[in-house]
Amino acid sequence: MRVCGLMSGTSLDGLDIAIVDFSYEQSTLQHALIGFTTKPYDEVLRKKLHALMDPRTSVQEVSSMNMYLGELFATYVIEALEELEIPIDTVDVISSHGQTIWHEPSVDVADVYARPNTLQIGDIAVIAERTGRTVIGDFRTRDMAVGGQGAPLVPYADKLLFQSTTGRVLVNIGGIANLTVLPPIHSTESIIAYDTGPGNMIIDACILRHSNGQVTFDENGEIARSGKVQNAWLSDLLQHSYFKAPIPKSTGRELFGEAYVKEFWYEGDAYNCTSADKIATATMFTASSITSEILKYRDTHDVQEVIVSGGGAHNSTLMAMIQQLLPSDIRLITSAEAGINADAKEAFVFALLGYLGIQKTPNSLPEATGARKETIMGKIAWGHSKAESGV
């Protein structure tokens, strides 16, 4: 089965598109990434999506953008397949994560109407109609329906693809960073997975302020490298309540978004930080919050290797900081070195979740999300019938 996986993350930088062929041979999953590209969002769309994450946004704006993103995702898929010279009629399924604009796994229990909730937009019916392909999406709500946090979902694939004879930690650094701790194959220890906290989100927001909106990310960590980490401030930052919360847990812009960054930026002034110092400290904040979690499992899970994917894998300053904080006997590599394109990984994962979901195969990992049981995640919008497609 050929699946086109779509991922639009909390960094709001664009739509990742991965085309993957899946099959089973002797009960073993076989996969081949045959194409990958990213379709960047323009600055106007990025700002509109960012504005949608404000709870004061009108329902009309959210509903309209849901349909618009469905159209845009379909257009991007068609363009990407043409550029990659992959005929669209060879794609069996499109699997879309959607664009998260709200994720609230914990709510006020005193409110009788409040429920854990999540919202990803980019309507799958629109994608199906515009492309003619069957589309599966809206994965997170099914996990929440059985008591899970709806996140993280990537650990299911991490277990399938990366578990080995030695302990490994998979780290994805997008807007938010998350990890999957994989014990050795024959270990009695459980797989552990959760969001560690900010990934690129605070760094990117600081770069926007530093550049007056002209630059969206710290390419190769060059600005962070030119600044100095303010260690006293860093210690205060690491006291955030999220880091003390029990697992499983997940987070997003609700905690580390615009309101947090605004306060962060002015706090830096109190420590006499330059803009570069603030960006250096934000980068070390991400590195420290990730590595402190990894080290909790060093002995119990025999961790010998840390594999990084996502945009953060390209930030050499961030990677150097993580390596600096890890013991010398733990190897740090990117997922590309482990056989999966570091940029394509999340889109690849959602292609996999879609592949399993369309075949009515459980595709969740309860130990990662806190769900009561495994489920088959994903809602389906069927593609055109043969009559409609003219076949």
Side-chain angles (χ1 to χ4, degrees):
M1 181 177 287
R2 178 164 291 176
V3 184
C4 179
L6 311 182
M7 179 66 197
S8 181
T10 51
S11 294
L12 303 177
D13 48 5
L15 183 69
D16 291 342
I17 303 172
I19 297 89
V20 190
D21 286 346
F22 293 105
S23 62
Y24 272 98
E25 293 181 16
Q26 298 178 339
S27 300
T28 301
L29 178 70
Q30 305 293 321
H31 56 83
L33 177 67
I34 63 167
F36 172 73
T37 190
T38 297
K39 291 289 185 177
Y41 297 151
D42 62 40
E43 189 58 30
V44 174
L45 177 58
R46 188 179 293 116
K47 287 179 178 178
K48 284 185 174 294
L49 291 173
H50 193 275
L52 285 187
M53 298 171 188
D54 187 327
R56 296 168 295 184
T57 300
S58 72
V59 174
Q60 185 275 334
E61 290 175 278
V62 174
S63 185
S64 179
M65 184 60 80
N66 176 51
M67 302 298 280
Y68 172 78
L69 281 187
E71 294 177 1
L72 185 68
F73 287 2
T75 298
Y76 282 172
V77 166
I78 293 168
E79 288 178 356
L81 291 170
E82 289 176 350
E83 291 163 6
L84 294 166
E85 298 183 347
I86 298 171
I88 193 168
D89 60 5
T90 67
V91 174
D92 299 294
V93 177
I94 296 171
S95 178
S96 178
H97 170 268
Q99 178 63 61
T100 298
I101 61 166
W102 190 255
H103 184 72
E104 189 179 19
S106 300
V107 295
D108 181 1
V109 294
D111 183 348
V112 68
Y113 297 109
R115 294 291 184 274
N117 60 90
T118 188
L119 182 60
Q120 287 75 44
I121 62 173
D123 196 86
I124 62 171
V126 175
I127 301 173
E129 187 58 36
R130 296 300 178 97
T131 63
R133 303 293 91 191
T134 292
V135 183
I136 184 169
D138 199 13
F139 293 91
R140 298 186 186 276
T141 52
R142 185 62 184 271
D143 183 76
M144 281 189 161
V146 290
Q149 296 226 342
L153 301 186
V154 171
Y156 180 92
D158 287 339
K159 175 184 178 181
L160 201 62
L161 300 172
F162 292 106
Q163 194 166 27
S164 180
T165 54
T166 59
R168 287 173 150 181
V169 176
L170 282 294
V171 179
N172 186 77
I173 309 176
I176 293 296
N178 58 70
L179 59 70
T180 305
V181 187
L182 297 174
I185 289 173
H186 300 297
S187 171
T188 57
E189 293 291 338
S190 299
I191 294 172
I192 297 169
Y194 53 94
D195 290 347
T196 60
N200 302 313
M201 185 174 288
I202 298 173
I203 302 168
D204 291 349
C206 286
I207 291 293
L208 276 171
R209 286 174 176 266
H210 171 71
S211 66
N212 293 316
Q214 299 304 302
V215 182
T216 59
F217 68 101
D218 188 9
E219 187 169 1
N220 207 29
E222 290 179 4
I223 297 174
R225 193 179 303 117
S226 71
K228 182 178 180 181
V229 174
Q230 222 300 338
N231 288 306
W233 183 24
L234 176 65
S235 295
D236 289 342
L237 294 169
L238 291 169
Q239 299 308 307
H240 192 286
S241 60
Y242 181 77
F243 305 125
K244 300 170 185 173
I247 59 172
K249 58 184 178 179
S250 55
T251 189
R253 289 189 180 274
E254 297 72 35
L255 276 189
F256 296 107
E258 184 59 35
Y260 182 90
V261 172
K262 183 177 180 180
E263 184 177 344
F264 175 94
W265 192 257
Y266 289 114
E267 271 185 16
D269 294 336
Y271 285 94
N272 297 314
C273 289
T274 65
S275 292
D277 294 342
K278 293 174 187 178
I279 293 161
T281 303
T283 305
M284 182 59 88
F285 182 30
T286 289
S288 298
S289 58
I290 291 170
T291 53
S292 63
E293 297 302 318
I294 293 171
L295 294 176
K296 290 179 181 178
Y297 310 103
R298 179 187 180 188
D299 296 329
T300 56
H301 287 66
D302 185 29
V303 175
Q304 296 185 27
E305 198 166 51
V306 173
I307 303 172
V308 180
S309 61
H314 298 295
N315 184 327
S316 61
T317 300
L318 175 58
M319 291 290 283
M321 287 176 172
I322 293 172
Q323 184 69 80
Q324 170 192 333
L325 295 169
L326 288 174
S328 59
D329 60 344
I330 295 181
R331 183 175 178 234
L332 179 70
I333 62 172
T334 68
S335 65
E337 295 172 85
I340 298 289
N341 181 312
D343 295 323
K345 186 189 170 192
E346 285 199 300
F348 176 98
V349 166
F350 278 93
L352 172 61
L353 296 182
Y355 168 69
L356 296 171
I358 209 79
Q359 298 190 92
K360 303 179 183 178
T361 301
N363 55 3
S364 68
L365 190 65
E367 53 260 55
T369 65
R372 293 186 297 274
K373 62 179 183 177
E374 65 179 13
T375 59
I376 301 170
M377 300 184 298
K379 300 172 185 176
I380 298 171
W382 296 105
H384 295 167
S385 67
K386 289 184 178 180
E388 288 178 297
S389 63
V391 175

